[in-house]
Amino acid sequence: MAIGSLRLRFTGGCDRCVMITKETPTVPHDRSVLRWVARELGNTLGVYAAVGTPGRVRVGDTARWL
């Protein structure tokens, strides 16, 4: 992925933890969210990335797949 002159490479999926079920000021506590992620997405909702090429990222830069 490229964002500005930065290049990232994705290294693996990120297992989701219980934090997505926690109450926020506008959303109530909901354990069904984590159950859905586990059932529908194999409990993976996110990715780990490593910097392939360091670079500058500015507000408004578009992220694009390489």
Side-chain angles (χ1 to χ4, degrees):
M1 174 166 275
I3 309 170
S5 59
L6 172 72
R7 300 297 180 265
L8 297 173
R9 61 183 169 79
F10 297 108
T11 59
C14 177
D15 284 346
R16 196 67 275 150
C17 69
V18 71
M19 291 306 294
I20 64 173
T21 68
K22 298 299 181 189
E23 183 175 342
T24 68
T26 58
V27 179
H29 176 79
D30 187 353
R31 289 185 181 158
S32 69
V33 174
L34 186 57
R35 285 194 295 271
W36 183 89
V37 170
R39 182 181 66 247
E40 300 294 327
L41 304 174
N43 205 45
T44 301
L45 185 66
V47 292
Y48 291 105
V51 175
T53 304
R56 184 172 296 221
V57 176
R58 294 188 169 119
V59 173
D61 282 351
T62 301
R64 49 190 202 284
W65 297 110
L66 298 175

